[in-house]
Amino acid sequence: MPKMKTSKMKTRKTTDFDRWLSATYGENGSFTALVVLVRIEEPQVLPLASTFLNIVGDEVSWTEVAALFAGARQAWDGAAFFAQLDADGPLENGEARGRLRALEQRLDADRLVINQGDFFDTQGRRLKVEEISPN
């Protein structure tokens, strides 16, 4: 299980993701993030890959997370993060896998579920999926 923690950097670009991570860690302490990478082909948002990460600090930057996602070897346009925890903090691996599979099923049925998490583009800027009304 990958754990995301790095030493503090003296200077780093602050993104919406960085602010989200700091706030989420500040509220909850260590947690598990369910992550879904997507391709955006307007008007569609297409799930590409998913994983989970145990977040044990808020020092990791968006640049480091995006570099980790390069290992997916797929071009992606957005990443949705769903913070999860149990009474003791991060989830056990089996529980995280089960919740990730359930999330994938919910996303297959309704892409707007992405908005229940925190959704960012490749630059770490916040995104939102909007429903298209039929004409």
Side-chain angles (χ1 to χ4, degrees):
M1 162 48 45
K3 291 192 180 185
M4 300 297 301
K5 184 168 173 125
T6 63
S7 59
K8 285 201 182 231
M9 296 178 287
K10 292 186 179 178
T11 60
R12 81 175 186 203
K13 182 177 176 183
T14 301
T15 65
D16 291 339
F17 171 84
D18 297 318
R19 286 185 289 278
W20 168 79
L21 180 62
S22 181
T24 303
Y25 182 78
E27 288 174 25
N28 303 306
S30 297
F31 64 96
T32 298
L34 307 181
V35 184
V36 179
L37 297 180
V38 301
R39 179 178 302 126
I40 301 170
E41 294 179 0
E42 293 197 27
Q44 299 179 23
V45 176
L46 307 168
L48 297 172
S50 63
T51 191
F52 61 94
L53 306 167
N54 286 329
I55 308 293
V56 296
D58 65 350
E59 296 87 16
V60 68
S61 71
W62 174 252
T63 303
E64 293 167 306
V65 171
L68 177 69
F69 294 158
R73 295 191 176 121
Q74 295 190 53
W76 56 276
D77 302 305
F81 291 76
F82 297 81
Q84 307 281 302
L85 61 149
D86 66 14
D88 299 324
L91 304 176
E92 294 293 328
N93 289 351
E95 177 68 16
R97 276 191 290 277
R99 289 191 193 186
L100 185 59
R101 296 302 161 246
L103 174 61
E104 291 167 348
Q105 291 173 349
R106 290 175 44 227
L107 281 169
D108 284 345
D110 182 2
R111 298 292 196 261
L112 292 175
V113 168
I114 287 173
N115 293 333
Q116 295 172 11
D118 293 275
F119 189 31
F120 304 95
D121 70 6
T122 59
Q123 303 299 309
R125 298 173 295 206
R126 193 170 287 281
L127 294 174
K128 180 180 179 182
V129 176
E130 294 185 5
E131 188 168 14
I132 297 176
S133 302
N135 293 338

